[in-house]
């Protein structure tokens, strides 16, 4: 791995008008502001800074966002253990094969309808798109059925109108499938390798999906332009964006990227909350591949979740894009019962910008200089 | 990821507690172990500097690099001993000792003017000029009765920081 500190610092929003992290960290840990003559003790006493460092080592709000919390074992008991074993047999021996068959049937139906339509109806775009949308919704329903998904949708269904984007919190790639089942969204996603990438470049492309690459620096401008073009078109599928930029464990929300909020259109928030009663739907991409994650879902009893379509929001006069993003994040977090943390999801992949450390340094330096002047 | 050794035996816990002078209760030691395993993503038995820096709250701390010199590559027993200064059960002496060790990076047993300057630089960055820093340090040292070229030993730290004591505590979350 690279040397500490040599990893590129986060290139995402470094604006100074981002919410103040100090508001989120426990109070009483920031360096207090004493007055009076500056003494040796004041400079020697580094205990507040050390306490903050030790506090971060012991527990920090960022790592908590990506922790998959394993359920408490409940089956270590003479009565429950055999029952649990029967459950395992049913899940792996009966449910799983049935689900695989259902999924296979779904794919056969989908491909045998999609490929001819895609090829033959090349000239009749409007009709072709209509059928393709319906087919994608169909295959997503098959996917959801293959995990016995119990999804409850609340609120008015999204409508196909121009100048609107949908934003949602992100727990796993299945968020997209759960939402797609109801509405043919065009989504903006990270380009993946493997079979997922293949699906992305063929089928999802026809929906109007947009791809980005986290690791490419210049990517952001091209993607921003594609987003703007997409929302202006009236015939395009409604755009779905996951502004967190990464999968979070469905107990917290990390900071929303402002890209979705400066497109000059209405933002319709969607909140998704999974019930962990049978399985934890959080895809910990550091721990398992997507295939393993799907298999885990397919060998559980059910995937239960709630989807809330919330009231569309527009930029208030005098509000910056970041404030708008935070406001929408608050709406979504309250609805889904998630806690908000002030960290950028991309800190999973890069180091924090030196600006944060410099803010602390600056405030301490100013205290010293001020007290010197008072003498 | 293989957290196969995530169960501590009673013997392990007691050994760790011995090593840190019972600064943490058994529950807290178990919690610290879970945290240690969480940070030690490569399961190497120790937390590398890189793994520490992946905690953003730690990485933005002005003294992070200085602390990394001590804390890089610690195994669990040493990790707990390192954190023991922040336990509510730690004595004032232990806390002052910890601060002294942060200053005395080369372990000589004495803290020179340069050491004081280094730490002050970490804390203030480029928001104070180097000359101002030297001037401020010289001023407060003289006011306290020391000269610029005198080194401070542990006893000096006790004298300066001992009264009215330090508040340096962190709570270990126990679920």
């Amino acid at each position: 791995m690279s040397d500490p500190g040599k990893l590129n610092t986060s290139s995402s929003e470094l604006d100074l008008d981002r919410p103040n992290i100090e508001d989120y960290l426990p109070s009483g840990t920031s360096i207090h502001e004493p007055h009076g003559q500056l003494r040796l003790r004041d400079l020697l006493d580094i205990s507040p800074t050390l306490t903050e460092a030790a506090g971060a080592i012991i527990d920090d709000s960022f790592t908590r966002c990506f922790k998959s919390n394993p359920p408490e074992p409940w089956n270590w008991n003479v009565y429950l253990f055999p029952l649990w074993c029967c459950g395992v047999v049913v899940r792996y021996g009966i449910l799983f094969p049935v689900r695989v068959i259902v999924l296979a049937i779904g794919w056969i139906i989908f491909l045998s309808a999609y490929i001819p339509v895609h090829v033959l109806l090349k000239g009749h775009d409007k009709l072709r798109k209509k059928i393709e949308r319906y087919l994608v919704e169909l295959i997503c329903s098959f996917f959801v059925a293959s995990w016995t998904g119990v999804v409850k949708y609340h609120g008015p269904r999204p409508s196909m109108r121009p100048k609107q984007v949908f934003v949602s919190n992100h727990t796993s790639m299945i968020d997209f499938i759960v939402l797609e089942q109801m509405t043919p969204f065009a989504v903006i996603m990270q380009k993946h390798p493997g079979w997922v990438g293949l699906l992305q470049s063929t089928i999802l492309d026809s929906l109007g999906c947009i791809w980005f690459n986290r690791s490419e620096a210049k990517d952001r401008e091209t993607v921003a332009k594609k987003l703007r073009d997409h929302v202006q078109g009236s015939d395009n599928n409604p755009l779905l964006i996951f502004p967190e930029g990464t999968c979070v464990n469905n107990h917290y929300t990390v900071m929303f990227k402002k890209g979705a909020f400066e497109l000059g259109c209405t933002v319709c928030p969607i909140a998704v909350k999974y019930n962990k009663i049978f399985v934890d739907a959080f895809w910990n991409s550091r721990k398992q591949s997507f295939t393993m994650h799907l298999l885990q879902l397919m060998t559980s009893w059910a995937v239960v979740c709630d989807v809330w379509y919330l009231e569309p929001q527009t930029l208030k006069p005098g509000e910056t894009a970041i404030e708008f993003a935070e406001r929408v994040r608050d709406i979504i977090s309250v609805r889904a019962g998630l806690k908000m943390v002030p960290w950028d999801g991309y800190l999973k992949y890069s180091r924090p910008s030196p600006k944060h450390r410099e803010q602390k340094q600056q405030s301490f330096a100013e205290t010293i200089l001020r007290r010197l002047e008072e003498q | 990821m293989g957290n196969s050794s995530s169960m501590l035996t009673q013997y392990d816990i007691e050994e760790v507690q011995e090593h840190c002078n019972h600064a943490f209760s058994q529950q807290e030691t178990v919690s610290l172990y879970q945290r240690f395993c969480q940070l030690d993503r490569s399961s190497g038995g120790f937390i590398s500097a890189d793994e520490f820096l992946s905690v953003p709250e730690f990485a933005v701390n002005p003294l992070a690099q200085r602390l990394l010199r001590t804390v890089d590559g610690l195994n669990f027993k040493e990790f707990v001993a390192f954190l023991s200064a922040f336990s509510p059960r730690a004595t004032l002496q232990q806390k002052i000792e910890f601060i002294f060790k942060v200053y005395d990076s080369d372990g000589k047993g004495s803290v020179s003017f340069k050491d004081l300057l280094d730490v002050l630089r970490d804390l203030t960055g480029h928001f104070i000029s180097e000359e101002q820093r030297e001037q401020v340090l010289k001023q407060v040292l003289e006011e306290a009765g020391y000269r610029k070229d005198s080194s401070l030993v542990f006893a000096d730290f006790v004298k300066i920081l001992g009264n009215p004591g330090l508040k340096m505590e962190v709570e270990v979350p126990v679920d």
Side-chain angles (χ1 to χ4, degrees):
Chain A
M1 287 236 80
S2 358
D3 303 312
K6 288 282 175 70
L7 253 174
N8 54 317
T9 45
S10 166
S11 56
S12 56
E13 293 70 53
L14 307 175
D15 309 275
L16 286 168
D17 61 344
R18 76 182 310 180
N20 194 1
I21 287 189
E22 301 291 336
D23 292 335
Y24 291 88
L25 291 177
S27 58
T29 58
S30 45
I31 300 171
H32 58 280
E33 303 250 333
H35 290 273
Q37 197 186 11
L38 196 65
R39 309 200 97 98
L40 179 58
R41 190 219 156 82
D42 300 312
L43 293 186
L44 221 54
D45 183 7
I46 49 175
S47 57
T49 314
L50 291 178
T51 312
E52 275 179 19
I57 293 178
I58 287 182
D59 189 21
D60 76 295
S61 52
F62 185 70
T63 320
R64 260 185 262 145
C65 293
F66 304 101
K67 203 169 129 187
S68 13
N69 302 307
E72 293 294 320
W74 53 271
N75 50 11
W76 297 115
N77 175 297
V78 171
Y79 310 106
L80 295 175
F81 188 63
L83 263 177
W84 177 76
C85 287
C86 289
V88 172
V89 168
V90 168
R91 277 190 287 132
Y92 282 81
I94 303 175
L95 281 184
F96 181 61
V98 167
R99 286 169 176 172
V100 171
I101 294 173
V102 163
L103 196 56
I105 294 175
W107 273 107
I108 295 172
I109 297 178
F110 174 75
L111 287 171
S112 54
Y114 186 85
I115 296 178
V117 164
H118 193 73
V119 171
L120 296 173
L121 287 180
K122 261 288 161 55
H124 312 267
D125 267 353
K126 241 187 132 105
L127 181 63
R128 176 171 66 89
K129 280 205 168 156
K130 202 156 163 245
I131 300 182
E132 281 176 357
R133 276 180 201 147
Y134 172 72
L135 286 176
V136 172
E137 278 182 39
L138 187 70
I139 186 67
C140 285
S141 306
F142 268 100
F143 257 113
V144 174
S146 75
W147 327 304
T148 315
V150 180
V151 187
K152 218 162 158 224
Y153 296 93
H154 311 260
R157 303 290 173 263
S159 42
M160 303 254 299
R161 280 188 294 197
K163 304 278 234 141
Q164 67 176 0
V165 287
F166 290 84
V167 300
S168 166
N169 59 313
H170 200 27
T171 305
S172 158
M173 287 226 283
I174 68 172
D175 289 339
F176 165 64
I177 300 178
V178 164
L179 292 175
E180 189 77 11
Q181 187 188 213
M182 187 56 68
T183 327
F185 287 116
V187 77
I188 162 168
M189 277 170 81
Q190 162 84 28
K191 198 81 200 300
H192 281 88
W195 63 270
V196 181
L198 180 64
L199 280 184
Q200 287 180 324
S201 21
T202 47
I203 298 164
L204 296 182
D205 233 9
S206 71
L207 278 175
C209 293
I210 301 173
W211 313 116
F212 68 85
N213 207 332
R214 254 178 226 134
S215 34
E216 260 170 61
K218 271 287 163 192
D219 204 47
R220 294 188 64 216
E221 286 109 60
T222 9
V223 168
K225 186 171 181 315
K226 283 191 207 166
L227 282 180
R228 257 177 269 125
D229 291 339
H230 188 107
V231 288
Q232 301 298 333
S234 56
D235 199 34
N236 287 327
N237 292 327
L239 188 60
L240 173 64
I241 303 179
F242 296 107
E244 286 173 308
T246 189
C247 291
V248 185
N249 72 358
N250 211 225
H251 287 286
Y252 298 92
T253 48
V254 295
M255 295 204 61
F256 277 9
K257 302 211 173 307
K258 64 176 181 183
F261 300 89
E262 42 185 24
L263 296 169
C265 31
T266 329
V267 171
C268 310
I270 305 177
V272 181
K273 176 80 179 160
Y274 291 90
N275 190 329
K276 294 212 301 207
I277 184 172
F278 294 120
V279 73
D280 185 358
F282 168 48
W283 177 39
N284 195 338
S285 51
R286 279 189 271 194
K287 270 194 173 166
Q288 18 168 231
S289 70
F290 188 58
T291 318
M292 287 308 303
H293 175 63
L294 273 187
L295 287 177
Q296 189 194 355
L297 293 178
M298 285 174 80
T299 52
S300 327
W301 289 110
V303 173
V304 182
C305 68
D306 284 284
V307 174
W308 289 276
Y309 297 106
L310 302 168
E311 199 183 323
Q313 306 288 323
T314 39
L315 189 68
K316 291 203 178 120
E319 206 180 29
T320 66
I322 293 186
E323 286 167 358
F324 186 29
E326 280 298 288
R327 185 164 61 87
V328 172
R329 177 160 83 113
D330 189 49
I331 294 172
I332 294 180
S333 308
V334 165
R335 179 68 268 188
L338 309 170
K339 296 196 206 88
M340 295 170 62
V341 295
W343 302 107
D344 177 348
Y346 276 11
L347 287 172
K348 246 171 144 180
Y349 311 102
S350 62
R351 298 271 172 266
S353 130
K355 273 217 168 92
H356 299 296
R357 192 181 334 126
E358 282 175 10
Q359 267 176 342
K360 290 177 188 266
Q361 289 174 326
Q362 183 174 16
S363 78
F364 186 57
E366 281 169 4
T367 318
I368 294 183
L369 291 174
R370 188 175 34 87
R371 288 177 71 183
L372 270 184
E373 276 164 41
E374 282 173 11
Q375 282 176 181
Chain B
M1 265 200 41
N3 269 359
S4 49
S5 56
S6 43
M7 284 319 299
L8 282 181
T9 67
Q10 184 67 23
Y11 182 67
D12 294 325
I13 298 180
E14 281 170 10
E15 195 187 325
V16 168
Q17 283 190 299
E18 277 290 326
H19 189 75
C20 69
N21 277 319
H22 293 271
F24 295 109
S25 71
Q26 293 215 348
Q27 286 268 54
E28 290 169 335
T29 311
V30 171
S31 286
L32 284 173
Y33 187 69
Q34 284 169 348
R35 176 67 174 176
F36 183 84
C37 293
Q38 191 186 49
L39 291 176
D40 177 20
R41 263 183 263 138
S42 55
S43 301
F46 62 91
I47 308 177
S48 66
D50 211 44
E51 285 163 343
F52 271 111
L53 287 175
S54 70
V55 177
E57 224 170 289
F58 179 78
V60 303
N61 193 291
L63 292 176
Q65 289 296 336
R66 209 166 176 91
L67 287 171
L68 273 180
R69 268 180 256 161
T70 323
V71 94
D72 182 13
L74 290 183
N75 65 24
F76 178 59
K77 214 162 70 169
E78 295 157 355
F79 176 72
V80 175
F82 172 80
L83 291 171
S84 58
F86 297 90
S87 148
R89 295 183 199 83
T91 63
L92 181 60
Q93 174 108 343
Q94 287 170 315
K95 294 184 203 276
I96 300 180
E97 211 177 305
F98 187 91
I99 296 183
F100 186 77
K101 285 205 208 119
V102 171
Y103 275 97
D104 180 23
S105 47
D106 48 14
K108 281 197 317 282
S110 64
V111 170
S112 65
F113 186 78
K114 182 183 170 307
D115 292 327
L116 294 173
L117 202 59
D118 285 341
V119 172
L120 190 58
R121 195 181 309 117
D122 285 340
L123 287 174
T124 51
H126 55 82
F127 297 96
I128 298 188
S129 71
E130 190 70 8
E131 295 88 44
Q132 268 183 311
R133 267 193 288 264
E134 284 190 33
Q135 188 211 342
V136 166
L137 264 178
K138 195 156 146 295
Q139 195 178 325
V140 294
L141 275 173
E142 279 168 3
E143 193 258 341
Y146 298 97
R147 295 208 328 267
K148 179 179 160 177
D149 50 5
S150 55
S151 325
L152 300 172
V153 290
F154 181 61
D156 294 314
F157 268 65
V158 173
K159 196 166 73 170
I160 299 164
L161 296 171
N163 224 338
L166 290 171
K167 179 125 179 61
M168 199 164 90
E169 267 169 35
V170 179
E171 198 187 309
V172 178
V174 171
D175 25 59

PDB file of all heavy atoms in Angstrom, chain A residues 6 29 39 84 90 104 175 216 238 242 261 267 314 321 329 346 359:
ATOM      1  N   LYS A   6       0.691   9.849   1.408  1.00  0.00           N
ATOM      2  CA  LYS A   6       1.032  10.003  -0.005  1.00  0.00           C
ATOM      3  C   LYS A   6      -0.188   9.751  -0.877  1.00  0.00           C
ATOM      4  O   LYS A   6      -0.232  10.099  -2.032  1.00  0.00           O
ATOM      5  CB  LYS A   6       2.121   9.000  -0.407  1.00  0.00           C
ATOM      6  CG  LYS A   6       3.493   9.321   0.138  1.00  0.00           C
ATOM      7  CD  LYS A   6       4.161  10.426  -0.670  1.00  0.00           C
ATOM      8  CE  LYS A   6       5.490  10.849  -0.077  1.00  0.00           C
ATOM      9  NZ  LYS A   6       6.552   9.849  -0.198  1.00  0.00           N
ATOM     10  N   THR A  29     -14.954  18.784  23.050  1.00  0.00           N
ATOM     11  CA  THR A  29     -13.654  18.284  22.617  1.00  0.00           C
ATOM     12  C   THR A  29     -12.870  19.338  21.857  1.00  0.00           C
ATOM     13  O   THR A  29     -11.707  19.160  21.585  1.00  0.00           O
ATOM     14  CB  THR A  29     -13.809  17.067  21.695  1.00  0.00           C
ATOM     15  OG1 THR A  29     -14.596  17.467  20.578  1.00  0.00           O
ATOM     16  CG2 THR A  29     -14.469  15.922  22.406  1.00  0.00           C
ATOM     17  N   ARG A  39       0.736  31.501  29.237  1.00  0.00           N
ATOM     18  CA  ARG A  39       1.774  30.917  30.074  1.00  0.00           C
ATOM     19  C   ARG A  39       2.342  29.663  29.408  1.00  0.00           C
ATOM     20  O   ARG A  39       1.759  29.146  28.469  1.00  0.00           O
ATOM     21  CB  ARG A  39       1.187  30.503  31.422  1.00  0.00           C
ATOM     22  CG  ARG A  39       0.380  31.575  32.124  1.00  0.00           C
ATOM     23  CD  ARG A  39       0.260  31.260  33.588  1.00  0.00           C
ATOM     24  NE  ARG A  39       1.255  31.967  34.349  1.00  0.00           N
ATOM     25  CZ  ARG A  39       1.011  33.112  34.991  1.00  0.00           C
ATOM     26  NH1 ARG A  39      -0.171  33.646  34.973  1.00  0.00           N
ATOM     27  NH2 ARG A  39       1.979  33.709  35.670  1.00  0.00           N
ATOM     28  N   TRP A  84     -33.424 -24.270  13.439  1.00  0.00           N
ATOM     29  CA  TRP A  84     -32.581 -23.455  12.561  1.00  0.00           C
ATOM     30  C   TRP A  84     -31.958 -24.319  11.463  1.00  0.00           C
ATOM     31  O   TRP A  84     -31.878 -23.909  10.307  1.00  0.00           O
ATOM     32  CB  TRP A  84     -31.493 -22.765  13.391  1.00  0.00           C
ATOM     33  CG  TRP A  84     -30.541 -21.970  12.578  1.00  0.00           C
ATOM     34  CD1 TRP A  84     -30.763 -20.756  12.012  1.00  0.00           C
ATOM     35  CD2 TRP A  84     -29.214 -22.335  12.215  1.00  0.00           C
ATOM     36  NE1 TRP A  84     -29.658 -20.327  11.322  1.00  0.00           N
ATOM     37  CE2 TRP A  84     -28.687 -21.284  11.436  1.00  0.00           C
ATOM     38  CE3 TRP A  84     -28.405 -23.446  12.476  1.00  0.00           C
ATOM     39  CZ2 TRP A  84     -27.396 -21.310  10.908  1.00  0.00           C
ATOM     40  CZ3 TRP A  84     -27.121 -23.472  11.959  1.00  0.00           C
ATOM     41  CH2 TRP A  84     -26.632 -22.415  11.185  1.00  0.00           C
ATOM     42  N   VAL A  90     -34.146 -25.905   4.239  1.00  0.00           N
ATOM     43  CA  VAL A  90     -35.191 -25.363   3.372  1.00  0.00           C
ATOM     44  C   VAL A  90     -34.633 -24.251   2.491  1.00  0.00           C
ATOM     45  O   VAL A  90     -34.854 -24.191   1.289  1.00  0.00           O
ATOM     46  CB  VAL A  90     -36.375 -24.838   4.215  1.00  0.00           C
ATOM     47  CG1 VAL A  90     -37.335 -24.024   3.363  1.00  0.00           C
ATOM     48  CG2 VAL A  90     -37.097 -25.995   4.873  1.00  0.00           C
ATOM     49  N   ALA A 104     -33.792 -17.708 -13.791  1.00  0.00           N
ATOM     50  CA  ALA A 104     -33.405 -18.169 -15.135  1.00  0.00           C
ATOM     51  C   ALA A 104     -34.552 -17.977 -16.113  1.00  0.00           C
ATOM     52  O   ALA A 104     -34.360 -17.493 -17.234  1.00  0.00           O
ATOM     53  CB  ALA A 104     -32.987 -19.627 -15.065  1.00  0.00           C
ATOM     54  N   ASP A 175     -30.478  -1.525  -4.444  1.00  0.00           N
ATOM     55  CA  ASP A 175     -31.348  -0.341  -4.349  1.00  0.00           C
ATOM     56  C   ASP A 175     -31.899  -0.021  -5.724  1.00  0.00           C
ATOM     57  O   ASP A 175     -33.077   0.270  -5.894  1.00  0.00           O
ATOM     58  CB  ASP A 175     -30.556   0.911  -3.905  1.00  0.00           C
ATOM     59  CG  ASP A 175     -30.136   0.839  -2.481  1.00  0.00           C
ATOM     60  OD1 ASP A 175     -30.734   0.090  -1.715  1.00  0.00           O
ATOM     61  OD2 ASP A 175     -29.177   1.547  -2.119  1.00  0.00           O
ATOM     62  N   GLU A 216     -10.904   8.456 -12.137  1.00  0.00           N
ATOM     63  CA  GLU A 216     -10.449   9.409 -13.148  1.00  0.00           C
ATOM     64  C   GLU A 216     -10.771  10.829 -12.725  1.00  0.00           C
ATOM     65  O   GLU A 216     -11.913  11.171 -12.458  1.00  0.00           O
ATOM     66  CB  GLU A 216     -11.143   9.113 -14.471  1.00  0.00           C
ATOM     67  CG  GLU A 216     -10.295   8.341 -15.455  1.00  0.00           C
ATOM     68  CD  GLU A 216     -11.125   7.876 -16.631  1.00  0.00           C
ATOM     69  OE1 GLU A 216     -11.665   8.747 -17.332  1.00  0.00           O
ATOM     70  OE2 GLU A 216     -11.276   6.659 -16.803  1.00  0.00           O
ATOM     71  N   PRO A 238     -36.575   9.225 -16.275  1.00  0.00           N
ATOM     72  CA  PRO A 238     -36.200  10.051 -15.111  1.00  0.00           C
ATOM     73  C   PRO A 238     -34.862   9.598 -14.543  1.00  0.00           C
ATOM     74  O   PRO A 238     -34.582   8.411 -14.465  1.00  0.00           O
ATOM     75  CB  PRO A 238     -37.330   9.819 -14.123  1.00  0.00           C
ATOM     76  CG  PRO A 238     -38.101   8.669 -14.633  1.00  0.00           C
ATOM     77  CD  PRO A 238     -37.854   8.552 -16.083  1.00  0.00           C
ATOM     78  N   PHE A 242     -27.552   8.543  -6.736  1.00  0.00           N
ATOM     79  CA  PHE A 242     -27.245   8.225  -5.345  1.00  0.00           C
ATOM     80  C   PHE A 242     -26.138   9.173  -4.886  1.00  0.00           C
ATOM     81  O   PHE A 242     -24.965   8.887  -5.064  1.00  0.00           O
ATOM     82  CB  PHE A 242     -26.774   6.766  -5.213  1.00  0.00           C
ATOM     83  CG  PHE A 242     -27.818   5.755  -5.571  1.00  0.00           C
ATOM     84  CD1 PHE A 242     -27.731   5.033  -6.746  1.00  0.00           C
ATOM     85  CD2 PHE A 242     -28.897   5.516  -4.721  1.00  0.00           C
ATOM     86  CE1 PHE A 242     -28.694   4.090  -7.078  1.00  0.00           C
ATOM     87  CE2 PHE A 242     -29.860   4.578  -5.054  1.00  0.00           C
ATOM     88  CZ  PHE A 242     -29.767   3.870  -6.224  1.00  0.00           C
ATOM     89  N   PHE A 261     -27.539  18.507  -7.182  1.00  0.00           N
ATOM     90  CA  PHE A 261     -28.356  19.602  -6.678  1.00  0.00           C
ATOM     91  C   PHE A 261     -28.085  20.916  -7.389  1.00  0.00           C
ATOM     92  O   PHE A 261     -28.681  21.928  -7.061  1.00  0.00           O
ATOM     93  CB  PHE A 261     -28.136  19.749  -5.168  1.00  0.00           C
ATOM     94  CG  PHE A 261     -28.511  18.506  -4.430  1.00  0.00           C
ATOM     95  CD1 PHE A 261     -27.583  17.507  -4.214  1.00  0.00           C
ATOM     96  CD2 PHE A 261     -29.806  18.314  -3.986  1.00  0.00           C
ATOM     97  CE1 PHE A 261     -27.935  16.340  -3.558  1.00  0.00           C
ATOM     98  CE2 PHE A 261     -30.167  17.155  -3.318  1.00  0.00           C
ATOM     99  CZ  PHE A 261     -29.231  16.164  -3.115  1.00  0.00           C
ATOM    100  N   VAL A 267     -35.707  18.385  -7.245  1.00  0.00           N
ATOM    101  CA  VAL A 267     -35.100  17.178  -6.704  1.00  0.00           C
ATOM    102  C   VAL A 267     -36.167  16.418  -5.937  1.00  0.00           C
ATOM    103  O   VAL A 267     -36.781  16.960  -5.025  1.00  0.00           O
ATOM    104  CB  VAL A 267     -33.929  17.542  -5.774  1.00  0.00           C
ATOM    105  CG1 VAL A 267     -33.445  16.314  -5.044  1.00  0.00           C
ATOM    106  CG2 VAL A 267     -32.802  18.159  -6.566  1.00  0.00           C
ATOM    107  N   THR A 314     -37.230  22.117  -4.255  1.00  0.00           N
ATOM    108  CA  THR A 314     -36.480  22.983  -5.172  1.00  0.00           C
ATOM    109  C   THR A 314     -35.535  23.862  -4.368  1.00  0.00           C
ATOM    110  O   THR A 314     -35.705  24.042  -3.167  1.00  0.00           O
ATOM    111  CB  THR A 314     -37.404  23.916  -5.981  1.00  0.00           C
ATOM    112  OG1 THR A 314     -38.444  24.366  -5.123  1.00  0.00           O
ATOM    113  CG2 THR A 314     -37.984  23.211  -7.178  1.00  0.00           C
ATOM    114  N   ALA A 321     -25.888  25.165  -3.283  1.00  0.00           N
ATOM    115  CA  ALA A 321     -26.131  23.764  -3.670  1.00  0.00           C
ATOM    116  C   ALA A 321     -25.846  22.830  -2.494  1.00  0.00           C
ATOM    117  O   ALA A 321     -26.553  21.853  -2.268  1.00  0.00           O
ATOM    118  CB  ALA A 321     -25.276  23.401  -4.872  1.00  0.00           C
ATOM    119  N   ARG A 329     -30.800  15.702   2.385  1.00  0.00           N
ATOM    120  CA  ARG A 329     -30.262  14.571   3.142  1.00  0.00           C
ATOM    121  C   ARG A 329     -30.970  14.452   4.480  1.00  0.00           C
ATOM    122  O   ARG A 329     -31.284  13.360   4.956  1.00  0.00           O
ATOM    123  CB  ARG A 329     -28.760  14.736   3.341  1.00  0.00           C
ATOM    124  CG  ARG A 329     -28.127  13.635   4.181  1.00  0.00           C
ATOM    125  CD  ARG A 329     -26.638  13.550   3.974  1.00  0.00           C
ATOM    126  NE  ARG A 329     -25.884  14.486   4.772  1.00  0.00           N
ATOM    127  CZ  ARG A 329     -25.068  14.138   5.755  1.00  0.00           C
ATOM    128  NH1 ARG A 329     -24.958  12.883   6.095  1.00  0.00           N
ATOM    129  NH2 ARG A 329     -24.393  15.046   6.395  1.00  0.00           N
ATOM    130  N   TYR A 346     -16.398   9.367  -0.120  1.00  0.00           N
ATOM    131  CA  TYR A 346     -15.171   9.040  -0.864  1.00  0.00           C
ATOM    132  C   TYR A 346     -13.945   8.927   0.039  1.00  0.00           C
ATOM    133  O   TYR A 346     -12.884   8.526  -0.404  1.00  0.00           O
ATOM    134  CB  TYR A 346     -14.922  10.080  -1.952  1.00  0.00           C
ATOM    135  CG  TYR A 346     -15.701   9.785  -3.216  1.00  0.00           C
ATOM    136  CD1 TYR A 346     -16.685   8.813  -3.238  1.00  0.00           C
ATOM    137  CD2 TYR A 346     -15.461  10.484  -4.384  1.00  0.00           C
ATOM    138  CE1 TYR A 346     -17.407   8.553  -4.378  1.00  0.00           C
ATOM    139  CE2 TYR A 346     -16.167  10.225  -5.536  1.00  0.00           C
ATOM    140  CZ  TYR A 346     -17.143   9.261  -5.530  1.00  0.00           C
ATOM    141  OH  TYR A 346     -17.856   9.001  -6.673  1.00  0.00           O
ATOM    142  N   GLN A 359      -7.820  24.096   9.521  1.00  0.00           N
ATOM    143  CA  GLN A 359      -8.807  24.864  10.286  1.00  0.00           C
ATOM    144  C   GLN A 359      -8.508  24.799  11.773  1.00  0.00           C
ATOM    145  O   GLN A 359      -8.586  25.801  12.488  1.00  0.00           O
ATOM    146  CB  GLN A 359     -10.206  24.317  10.036  1.00  0.00           C
ATOM    147  CG  GLN A 359     -10.928  25.024   8.920  1.00  0.00           C
ATOM    148  CD  GLN A 359     -12.268  24.409   8.608  1.00  0.00           C
ATOM    149  OE1 GLN A 359     -12.558  23.262   8.972  1.00  0.00           O
ATOM    150  NE2 GLN A 359     -13.097  25.141   7.916  1.00  0.00           N
TER     151      GLN A 359
END
